[in-house]
Amino acid sequence: MTDVLAIADHRRGELRDVSFELVTAGRELANETGGDLHVAVISGDVEGFGDQLQLDGVDTVHTVENGEEFNHDVYAQVVTQLFEAVDPQFLVMPNSVNGLDYAPAVANRLGLAYVSDVVDVGIDGSTLTATREMYSGKVETTTAVEAEQVAVSIRGAEWPATDETGDATVEAFEADVDESAVRSTVTGFEEVGGGDVDISEADVLVSIGRGIEEEENLDLVRDLADALDATLSSSRPIVDAGWLPKNRQVGQSGKVVTPDVYIAIGISGAVQHVAGMKGSDTIVAINTDPNAPIYDIADYGIVDDLFDVVPALIEEFE
Amino acid sequence: MKVLVTVKEVAAVEDEFQIAGTSIDETYLEYDLNEWDDYAVEEAVQLQEAGIADEVVAVTIGPERAEETIRMALAKGADRAVRIWDDALEGSDLLDVGAKTAILEKVVEEEDPDLVLSGVQADDDGFGATGVSLADALGFEWAAVVNHLDQDSVESGTASVRRELEGGVEELTDIELPAVLTIQTGINEPRYASLRGIRQAQRKEIAPKTLGDLGLDAAAVENELTLTDMYEPETESDATYFEGGPEEAAAQLATLLRDKGVGAQ
Ligand SMILES: Cc1cc2nc3c(=O)[nH]c(=O)nc-3n(C[C@H](O)[C@H](O)[C@H](O)COP(=O)(O)OP(=O)(O)OC[C@H]3O[C@@H](n4cnc5c(N)ncnc54)[C@H](O)[C@@H]3O)c2cc1C
């Protein structure tokens, strides 16, 4: 019971980045426990995925054939069975949208302590210590998990991806899936958010968040975008409110953008937003809150009221 | 059909705050209805207005103070509310998913709803797990991160939902009822509570319950997670700050932007 079992994530024929990050996190834990790192991949082209997961630090890859795509009822059953077969100390799952859809069920089914969305893990004696954020990223916490076996879900992009090939053994795992317990059917996928502009092509983005308060105030940032010859984008609440179309949303569920300059105005810098813009060359933040997480990744900041700063900036360019 | 909505009063931290041990002092906290739960309440109320739900019940785990927040759900149209609190929960900085699941499971068993709606995550502790964990404990079907629900399908006993995946892709999924859906923001437009609604909410029932009332003892909610430290995150990058008031800061930023070729038509 010193092993670590990590569950890979994939979609539409491709392993997702977090799968390779899970390997790094899993290996770190296995180094501490002195156990093996097992990685499992369920559904899809498991043979191809299995090859890709023969990575440095992985001892065994378990491939489980079952349908093409993710189905949470299948995952919940298979991961439970794998857990029982491997009997690991730590079960590591991704805090991806699919992770959100099966990891808590697995933890419940197995009666495991569950700590989600961790950004760092360590072991103190035999106790797992997990680092997590609270209060919209304003504080970080350490949590001690007093249990013999623990399920954790890891936040994406917090561990480097393992990309070096290793010599893991690949084994097919025969899961016994009870079809009567599969009561959900994925009927398709749809891309959303096409439309007039592609913000991922823009060199300069003026991006607005909830700090703008009212729809009428959007004109102010439109004027700024015009003055700077920039494209207007936003955080999620602006799109949720229907003030801008979905194709303007930057973030995990919106678009990933990599402009030369990204100006984040009245945006706190929630992890799901940052996921979409952290690759920008130069990041400028305008926010009244000096502790807003956006300043952690900003290159330049103005801690002040956007309703004062933005008009002044427009004036500079007129 | 009956719809149960799990709601949580969450604390937001003010711009300036201080940490004392493993918590933030009350004076720096502002309480509000969890953003994701607001959308869940709206979806439930819309099901009621469409004549699909006969009753909408809001349930929360929280101290007496939380009643203020629960009244918001009642003011928006929920019929009644259940609030669970107990001395055994009092001292805990962090209630883990297992404890919440154990409590809510009992409430669902008592209320026997066809559909449970919860928010994708709570803005304060950010576990993002309670809805799915609860579904599994109940033997209900579930779907996480739902940004569309076909209301008509609910009546036929199979909920057709859209799950919002990463990168602008949505998954279309049919799930059997009874079920728990974790609701993503943007699924609807949450209403503001009307004055009339707020007045009516004063007369609606918020039934307080203890663990004992639910047939649970303190052991059922024993926390396996303990907060051992809380601190302000170290900034990874050293941002350059432009100071000196809005005009001066804007002028410095303008210089920087021009240097980078921004605005040069
Ligand atoms: C599964 C999932 C997927 C998600 N996907 C995305 C996504 O793709 N994109 C995304 O953006 N979010 C996404 N989110 C939501 C995300 O968690 C945050 O809720 C959101 O990013 C917050 O947007 P915001 O920063 O505009 O608002 P808030 O967090 O409310 O921040 C507003 C900021 O404005 C500042 N402010 C207020 N007034 C002023 C003023 N006058 N002048 C200057 N500053 C001011 C405040 O200090 C605050 O920092 C997702 C969440 C989940 C759970």
Side-chain angles (χ1 to χ4, degrees), chain A residues 206 220 223-225 227-228 263 265 284 286 302 306-318, chain B residues 242 246-258 262:
Chain A
V206 165
L220 182 64
D223 290 347
L224 178 64
L228 299 181
I263 309 177
I265 306 173
V284 180
I286 302 172
I302 297 180
L306 74 92
F307 294 106
D308 297 325
V309 177
V310 174
L313 193 55
I314 293 171
E315 215 160 277
E316 287 285 334
F317 281 87
E318 270 173 353
Chain B
F242 299 129
E247 280 85 21
E248 212 175 298
Q252 295 172 65
L253 175 55
T255 307
L256 170 86
L257 293 175
R258 279 201 199 89
V262 178

Coordinates of all heavy atoms in Angstrom, one line a residue, chain A residues 206 220 223-225 227-228 263 265 284 286 302 306-318, chain B residues 242 246-258 262:
Chain A
V206 N -7.6 44.1 -25.2 CA -8.1 44.8 -24.0 C -9.2 43.9 -23.4 O -10.2 43.6 -24.1 CB -8.7 46.2 -24.4 CG1 -9.5 46.8 -23.3 CG2 -7.6 47.1 -24.8
L220 N -16.9 52.3 -22.4 CA -15.6 52.9 -22.0 C -14.4 52.0 -22.5 O -13.4 52.5 -23.1 CB -15.6 53.0 -20.5 CG -14.3 53.6 -19.8 CD1 -14.2 55.0 -20.3 CD2 -14.4 53.5 -18.3
D223 N -14.1 52.1 -26.3 CA -13.3 53.3 -26.7 C -11.8 53.0 -26.5 O -11.0 53.4 -27.4 CB -13.7 54.5 -25.9 CG -15.1 55.0 -26.2 OD1 -15.7 54.5 -27.2 OD2 -15.7 55.8 -25.5
L224 N -11.4 52.4 -25.4 CA -10.0 52.1 -25.2 C -9.5 51.2 -26.3 O -8.4 51.4 -26.8 CB -9.8 51.5 -23.8 CG -8.3 51.2 -23.5 CD1 -7.5 52.4 -23.5 CD2 -8.2 50.4 -22.2
A225 N -10.2 50.1 -26.5 CA -9.8 49.2 -27.6 C -9.6 49.9 -28.9 O -8.7 49.6 -29.6 CB -10.8 48.0 -27.7
A227 N -9.0 53.1 -29.4 CA -7.8 54.0 -29.3 C -6.5 53.3 -29.4 O -5.5 53.8 -30.0 CB -7.9 54.8 -28.0
L228 N -6.5 52.0 -28.9 CA -5.3 51.2 -28.9 C -5.2 50.4 -30.2 O -4.2 49.6 -30.4 CB -5.1 50.4 -27.7 CG -5.1 51.0 -26.3 CD1 -5.0 50.0 -25.2 CD2 -3.9 52.0 -26.3
I263 N -4.2 43.3 -21.7 CA -4.5 44.3 -20.7 C -5.7 43.8 -19.9 O -6.8 43.9 -20.5 CB -4.7 45.7 -21.3 CG1 -3.5 46.1 -22.2 CG2 -4.9 46.8 -20.2 CD1 -3.6 47.4 -22.9
I265 N -8.4 44.3 -17.3 CA -9.0 45.4 -16.5 C -10.2 44.9 -15.7 O -11.2 44.4 -16.2 CB -9.5 46.5 -17.5 CG1 -8.4 46.9 -18.5 CG2 -10.1 47.7 -16.8 CD1 -8.8 47.8 -19.6
V284 N -0.6 43.3 -18.5 CA -0.8 44.5 -17.8 C -2.1 44.3 -17.0 O -3.1 43.9 -17.6 CB -1.0 45.8 -18.7 CG1 -1.2 47.0 -17.9 CG2 0.2 45.9 -19.6
I286 N -5.0 46.2 -14.4 CA -5.6 47.4 -13.8 C -6.7 46.9 -12.8 O -7.7 46.3 -13.3 CB -6.2 48.4 -14.8 CG1 -5.1 48.8 -15.8 CG2 -6.8 49.6 -14.1 CD1 -5.6 49.6 -17.0
I302 N -1.4 48.6 -12.4 CA -1.9 49.8 -11.8 C -2.9 49.5 -10.8 O -4.0 49.0 -11.2 CB -2.4 50.8 -12.9 CG1 -1.3 51.1 -14.0 CG2 -3.0 52.0 -12.3 CD1 -1.8 52.0 -15.1
L306 N -10.5 51.5 -12.3 CA -10.5 51.5 -13.8 C -11.3 52.7 -14.3 O -11.0 53.2 -15.4 CB -11.1 50.2 -14.3 CG -12.6 49.9 -14.2 CD1 -13.3 50.3 -15.5 CD2 -12.8 48.4 -14.0
F307 N -12.3 53.2 -13.6 CA -13.1 54.3 -14.1 C -12.3 55.6 -14.1 O -12.7 56.6 -14.7 CB -14.4 54.4 -13.3 CG -15.3 53.3 -13.5 CD1 -15.4 52.3 -12.5 CD2 -15.9 53.1 -14.7 CE1 -16.2 51.2 -12.7 CE2 -16.7 52.0 -14.9 CZ -16.9 51.0 -13.9
D308 N -11.1 55.6 -13.4 CA -10.3 56.8 -13.5 C -9.1 56.5 -14.5 O -8.7 57.4 -15.2 CB -9.7 57.1 -12.1 CG -10.7 57.5 -11.1 OD1 -11.7 58.1 -11.5 OD2 -10.6 57.1 -9.9
V309 N -8.6 55.3 -14.4 CA -7.4 55.0 -15.2 C -7.7 54.9 -16.7 O -7.0 55.4 -17.6 CB -6.7 53.7 -14.8 CG1 -5.5 53.3 -15.7 CG2 -6.3 53.8 -13.3
V310 N -8.8 54.2 -17.0 CA -9.1 54.0 -18.5 C -9.4 55.3 -19.2 O -8.8 55.5 -20.3 CB -10.3 52.9 -18.6 CG1 -10.7 52.8 -20.1 CG2 -9.8 51.6 -18.1
P311 N -10.2 56.2 -18.7 CA -10.4 57.5 -19.4 C -9.0 58.2 -19.6 O -8.8 58.8 -20.7 CB -11.3 58.3 -18.5 CG -12.0 57.3 -17.7 CD -11.1 56.2 -17.5
A312 N -8.2 58.2 -18.6 CA -6.9 58.9 -18.7 C -6.0 58.2 -19.8 O -5.3 58.9 -20.5 CB -6.2 58.8 -17.4
L313 N -6.2 56.9 -19.9 CA -5.4 56.2 -20.9 C -5.9 56.5 -22.3 O -5.1 56.6 -23.3 CB -5.4 54.7 -20.6 CG -4.5 53.7 -21.3 CD1 -3.0 54.2 -21.1 CD2 -4.6 52.3 -20.8
I314 N -7.2 56.6 -22.4 CA -7.8 56.9 -23.7 C -7.3 58.3 -24.1 O -6.9 58.5 -25.3 CB -9.3 56.9 -23.6 CG1 -9.9 55.5 -23.4 CG2 -10.0 57.4 -24.9 CD1 -11.3 55.4 -23.1
E315 N -7.3 59.2 -23.2 CA -6.8 60.5 -23.5 C -5.4 60.5 -24.0 O -5.1 61.3 -25.0 CB -6.9 61.4 -22.3 CG -7.3 62.9 -22.6 CD -7.9 63.5 -21.3 OE1 -9.1 63.4 -21.0 OE2 -7.1 64.2 -20.6
E316 N -4.6 59.7 -23.4 CA -3.2 59.6 -23.9 C -3.0 59.2 -25.3 O -2.1 59.6 -26.0 CB -2.4 58.6 -23.0 CG -2.1 59.0 -21.6 CD -1.0 60.0 -21.5 OE1 -0.1 60.0 -22.4 OE2 -1.0 60.8 -20.5
F317 N -4.0 58.5 -25.8 CA -3.9 58.0 -27.2 C -4.7 58.7 -28.2 O -4.8 58.4 -29.3 CB -4.2 56.5 -27.2 CG -3.1 55.6 -26.8 CD1 -2.9 55.3 -25.4 CD2 -2.2 55.1 -27.7 CE1 -1.9 54.5 -25.0 CE2 -1.1 54.3 -27.2 CZ -1.0 54.0 -25.9
E318 N -5.4 59.8 -27.7 CA -6.2 60.5 -28.6 C -5.5 61.8 -29.2 O -4.5 62.3 -28.6 CB -7.5 60.9 -28.0 CG -8.6 59.8 -28.2 CD -9.9 60.1 -27.4 OE1 -9.9 61.0 -26.6 OE2 -10.8 59.3 -27.7
Chain B
F242 N 2.9 51.0 -11.8 CA 2.9 52.4 -12.2 C 2.1 53.2 -11.1 O 0.9 52.8 -10.8 CB 2.2 52.6 -13.5 CG 3.0 52.0 -14.6 CD1 2.3 51.2 -15.6 CD2 4.4 52.2 -14.8 CE1 3.0 50.5 -16.6 CE2 5.1 51.5 -15.8 CZ 4.4 50.7 -16.7
P246 N -4.1 58.2 -11.1 CA -4.6 57.6 -12.4 C -3.9 58.3 -13.6 O -3.5 57.5 -14.5 CB -6.1 57.9 -12.4 CG -6.5 58.3 -11.0 CD -5.2 58.6 -10.3
E247 N -3.8 59.6 -13.6 CA -3.3 60.2 -14.8 C -1.8 59.9 -15.0 O -1.4 59.5 -16.1 CB -3.4 61.8 -14.8 CG -4.8 62.3 -15.1 CD -5.7 62.3 -13.9 OE1 -5.2 62.2 -12.8 OE2 -6.9 62.3 -14.1
E248 N -1.1 60.0 -13.9 CA 0.4 59.7 -14.0 C 0.6 58.2 -14.4 O 1.4 57.9 -15.2 CB 1.0 60.0 -12.7 CG 2.4 60.5 -12.8 CD 3.0 61.0 -11.5 OE1 2.4 61.9 -10.9 OE2 4.0 60.3 -11.1
A249 N -0.1 57.4 -13.8 CA 0.0 55.9 -14.0 C -0.4 55.6 -15.5 O 0.3 54.9 -16.2 CB -0.9 55.1 -13.1
A250 N -1.4 56.3 -16.0 CA -1.9 56.0 -17.3 C -0.8 56.5 -18.3 O -0.6 55.9 -19.3 CB -3.2 56.8 -17.6
A251 N -0.2 57.7 -18.0 CA 0.9 58.2 -18.9 C 2.0 57.2 -18.9 O 2.6 57.0 -20.0 CB 1.3 59.6 -18.3
Q252 N 2.4 56.7 -17.8 CA 3.5 55.7 -17.8 C 3.2 54.5 -18.6 O 4.0 53.9 -19.4 CB 3.9 55.3 -16.4 CG 4.5 56.5 -15.6 CD 4.6 56.0 -14.1 OE1 5.4 55.2 -13.8 NE2 3.9 56.7 -13.2
L253 N 1.9 54.0 -18.4 CA 1.5 52.8 -19.2 C 1.5 53.2 -20.7 O 1.8 52.3 -21.5 CB 0.1 52.4 -18.7 CG -0.6 51.2 -19.4 CD1 0.3 50.0 -19.4 CD2 -1.9 50.8 -18.7
A254 N 1.0 54.4 -21.0 CA 1.0 54.8 -22.4 C 2.3 54.7 -23.0 O 2.5 54.2 -24.2 CB 0.4 56.1 -22.5
T255 N 3.3 55.2 -22.3 CA 4.7 55.1 -22.8 C 5.1 53.7 -23.1 O 5.7 53.4 -24.1 CB 5.7 55.8 -21.8 OG1 5.2 57.1 -21.5 CG2 7.1 55.9 -22.3
L256 N 4.9 52.8 -22.1 CA 5.2 51.4 -22.3 C 4.5 50.8 -23.5 O 5.1 50.2 -24.3 CB 4.8 50.6 -21.0 CG 4.9 49.1 -21.2 CD1 6.3 48.6 -20.8 CD2 3.8 48.4 -20.3
L257 N 3.2 51.1 -23.6 CA 2.5 50.5 -24.7 C 3.0 51.1 -26.1 O 3.1 50.3 -27.0 CB 1.0 50.8 -24.6 CG 0.3 50.2 -23.4 CD1 -1.2 50.6 -23.2 CD2 0.3 48.6 -23.5
R258 N 3.3 52.3 -26.1 CA 3.8 52.9 -27.4 C 5.1 52.2 -27.7 O 5.4 51.9 -28.9 CB 4.0 54.4 -27.3 CG 2.7 55.2 -27.5 CD 2.9 56.6 -27.8 NE 1.7 57.4 -27.6 CZ 1.4 57.9 -26.4 NH1 2.3 57.9 -25.4 NH2 0.3 58.6 -26.2
V262 N 2.0 49.5 -29.6 CA 0.5 49.5 -29.4 C 0.0 50.9 -29.8 O 0.5 51.9 -29.3 CB 0.1 49.1 -28.0 CG1 -1.4 49.2 -27.9 CG2 0.6 47.8 -27.6

